[in-house]
Amino acid sequence: MIVGFDYGSSNCAMGVLEQGVPKLVPLENGKPYLPSTLYAQHNSLIVDYVAKNLARGELADTYVSQRKGLLAGIPAIRSDLDLANNESGIYIGREAIDEYIEFPEEGFYVKSPKSFFGATGLKPEQIAFFEDIATAMIMAIKTRAENHLKHSLSHTVIGRPVNFQAVGGEESNQQAISILTKAAQRAGFKHVEFLYEPLAAGIDFETSLTENTKVLVVDIGGGTSDCSFVQMGPSFRENHDRSNDFLSHTGKRIGGNDLDIALSFHKLMPQFGLGTQMKSGLPMPHPLYWQACKINDIHLQSEFYSDTNHRELTRLLRDVEQPNLLSRLIKVLENKQSHQVVRQGELAKIGLSEQSTHHADLSFVESDLMQLIEHHDLSDAINDSLKQMVNLANDAICAAGTRPDVIYLTGGSAQSPLLKQALQQALGDIPMLNGDNFGSVTAGLTKWANKIFK
């Protein structure tokens, strides 16, 4: 059976074609969108989960051989965790979030793993670990979809950003594609293809066009922002090769997660000492707080949670004017609560789209600790990120050498009034249409998969 698969930075979704219409498959509690999160009671259990769920054959034999050292220690780990034979110790989606919130310091938690796949400087063992994370997630998602559909899934088109990273170029893209391809194959897909996410959203939109139209698709996802300038309409939609219809592509690793991080840094980190002074009169170093917030940067998070950083922060306690604030940051480090802090930034961003003020709840760090955030705080915090997103759209138009007839907005953060205002100010009075915030990409991937595999 054929599916379109949006392995997104914020959410995962799968779609199938029913009587010519894309239908999203329920993946969690009857809902089609599953948060892109994984929690493991121990990181080695991810390898155990993959090994146990691989279909027998050469692929499984090779995998077990490659992970032989890690697999040898699994019985002792399972015994220490008191896991029953039917317990994997692995959680995905909202269950992963719940487990992390309850046991932040005890297990391994990752949000938006796709954001790391193109990271530069990864060692072979780190690449292998991300392959295992992706495989475990895709295995679990595929199994849920198959149980609902009562069919095995063999063919898929997976969405991909134009660029997985701001740096690294095509080498980063190929690294990420390799990780996803291996993961999908290990999960049981026999045929795997990829399609640019903004183009997938455009293909879904194209179905409604009655005349040929130059469309700039602006897709602001959780981890990346992508623009595709495409010729669409009745003269183009039946083409199996759309390369001649693309006028330009631009993309960058900046998305909704970066807006959450920026707001958390500027408005929440002052509660942890940002902006205060040392007794010497020098300001508290900013990098400490970026490390705490940058949950989508594996290197900065490793530095923040390192023993060296813990010793340095503890040493700084006697040199700062407000040690009570720095003590909160140390507690975030010790309890591995960076994700919880940034989650409050995300909730503030969402809340401020409908109201002028929001109270961020930081009581998981200290009883009754709250932070008031106002709408102008959001605007100030994310202004630089919005400029980068607008520049991508402008670059796509310049590269195409023509003006779009319409801008089609899709992705979780593309509906932000602040983004729309910034686009209009920069690009002028081009009509803007809203797509399904999350479903457009999956629907387009589903249509394209059924076109190329049939």
Side-chain angles (χ1 to χ4, degrees):
M1 193 171 185
I2 299 169
V3 292
F5 184 21
D6 182 9
Y7 184 81
S9 298
S10 294
N11 293 281
C12 298
M14 277 188 175
V16 294
L17 209 62
E18 294 183 0
Q19 298 180 339
V21 178
K23 298 291 185 183
L24 300 189
V25 181
L27 296 177
E28 186 177 58
N29 298 325
K31 298 178 180 178
Y33 303 114
L34 181 143
S36 299
T37 53
L38 178 144
Y39 180 91
Q41 290 179 263
H42 190 285
N43 55 14
S44 292
L45 293 176
I46 300 171
V47 180
D48 184 41
Y49 181 88
V50 172
K52 286 179 177 177
N53 287 280
L54 275 168
R56 292 177 181 267
E58 184 179 348
L59 203 65
D61 293 341
T62 301
Y63 179 83
V64 170
S65 175
Q66 292 172 344
R67 304 293 194 274
K68 183 166 55 176
L70 289 170
L71 289 168
I74 294 297
I77 291 170
R78 292 183 63 87
S79 177
D80 287 344
L81 293 170
D82 198 25
L83 287 175
N85 290 334
N86 63 341
E87 292 179 312
S88 67
I90 301 293
Y91 306 85
I92 64 169
R94 298 186 192 283
E95 288 183 347
I97 297 171
D98 292 342
E99 288 293 318
Y100 165 69
I101 290 173
E102 187 170 358
F103 308 106
E105 74 285 354
E106 294 182 13
F108 171 82
Y109 177 77
V110 59
K111 176 184 178 182
S112 306
K114 178 180 168 185
S115 300
F116 302 109
F117 294 167
T120 58
L122 292 182
K123 298 175 182 178
E125 58 268 26
Q126 291 175 306
I127 293 175
F129 185 48
F130 283 124
E131 289 173 357
D132 292 339
I133 290 171
T135 302
M137 290 185 69
I138 296 174
M139 277 179 166
I141 292 168
K142 182 172 180 285
T143 297
R144 293 186 186 193
E146 288 175 334
N147 289 340
H148 175 79
L149 296 167
K150 311 300 182 188
H151 284 283
S152 61
L153 304 178
S154 57
H155 296 61
T156 188
V157 172
I158 302 175
R160 57 154 292 183
V162 176
N163 289 307
F164 283 84
Q165 290 282 326
V167 295
E170 193 54 28
E171 185 176 345
S172 287
N173 289 336
Q174 289 305 314
Q175 175 181 286
I177 291 296
S178 174
I179 289 172
L180 281 169
T181 301
K182 283 185 179 179
Q185 291 173 341
R186 286 171 177 166
F189 284 108
K190 293 179 172 53
H191 301 277
V192 182
E193 297 290 341
F194 293 86
L195 183 67
Y196 288 133
E197 290 158 352
L199 179 57
I203 287 172
D204 181 50
F205 170 60
E206 187 176 35
T207 306
S208 66
L209 294 177
T210 58
E211 59 185 35
N212 293 339
T213 307
K214 290 178 291 185
V215 181
L216 176 64
V217 182
V218 178
D219 179 12
I220 311 296
T224 57
S225 294
D226 295 296
C227 299
S228 285
F229 199 142
V230 192
Q231 302 237 52
M232 295 184 176
S235 300
F236 306 100
R237 68 167 63 105
E238 298 305 320
N239 293 344
H240 279 70
D241 181 1
R242 300 301 299 263
S243 57
N244 292 328
D245 305 336
F246 305 156
L247 301 181
S248 65
H249 286 302
T250 58
K252 191 173 185 180
R253 187 176 176 263
I254 182 169
N257 293 340
D258 296 277
L259 305 184
D260 306 335
I261 289 166
L263 185 58
S264 300
F265 174 80
H266 289 290
K267 290 307 298 180
L268 299 184
M269 283 296 107
Q271 291 284 1
F272 300 87
L274 177 65
T276 61
Q277 291 185 330
M278 310 278 286
K279 290 178 180 178
S280 64
L282 294 173
M284 284 293 291
H286 282 201
L288 293 175
Y289 299 96
W290 273 121
Q291 288 172 355
C293 291
K294 287 287 282 183
I295 60 172
N296 59 357
D297 188 311
I298 188 172
H299 301 296
L300 291 183
Q301 283 281 280
S302 296
E303 290 174 5
F304 177 68
Y305 285 119
S306 68
D307 291 339
T308 300
N309 191 46
H310 186 270
R311 289 193 295 270
E312 177 63 17
L313 292 181
T314 303
R315 184 191 65 77
L316 277 176
L317 274 175
R318 62 178 179 267
D319 298 326
V320 299
E321 290 283 359
Q322 295 178 266
N324 61 310
L325 300 186
L326 184 59
S327 293
R328 292 171 180 168
L329 186 66
I330 293 173
K331 185 174 181 181
V332 169
L333 184 158
E334 291 174 343
N335 294 331
K336 297 183 180 179
Q337 292 174 320
S338 286
H339 283 277
Q340 286 177 266
V341 173
V342 176
R343 173 60 175 163
Q344 288 303 312
E346 180 185 11
L347 292 175
K349 178 191 71 176
I350 295 169
L352 290 168
S353 67
E354 298 180 351
Q355 55 201 38
S356 60
T357 62
H358 178 87
H359 286 87
D361 183 1
L362 300 172
S363 60
F364 58 88
V365 177
E366 184 179 295
S367 180
D368 299 324
L369 181 60
M370 306 288 286
Q371 175 62 49
L372 173 66
I373 305 177
E374 300 182 80
H375 193 271
H376 67 85
D377 295 322
L378 173 63
S379 179
D380 292 343
I382 69 174
N383 185 55
D384 287 343
S385 297
L386 291 181
K387 284 181 180 178
Q388 294 183 61
M389 294 172 181
V390 170
N391 287 341
L392 286 174
N394 196 44
D395 290 347
I397 293 173
C398 292
T402 186
R403 187 175 172 85
D405 299 314
V406 64
I407 296 174
Y408 182 67
L409 298 166
T410 187
S413 295
Q415 312 308 321
S416 165
L418 292 173
L419 175 64
K420 292 179 181 178
Q421 181 182 2
L423 285 169
Q424 193 168 47
Q425 288 176 349
L427 305 179
D429 195 22
I430 302 172
M432 293 186 193
L433 299 176
N434 296 331
D436 183 331
N437 291 5
F438 301 106
S440 295
V441 170
T442 311
L445 293 170
T446 303
K447 291 177 181 178
W448 189 250
N450 280 270
K451 177 175 286 189
I452 67 172
F453 287 132
K454 283 190 173 180

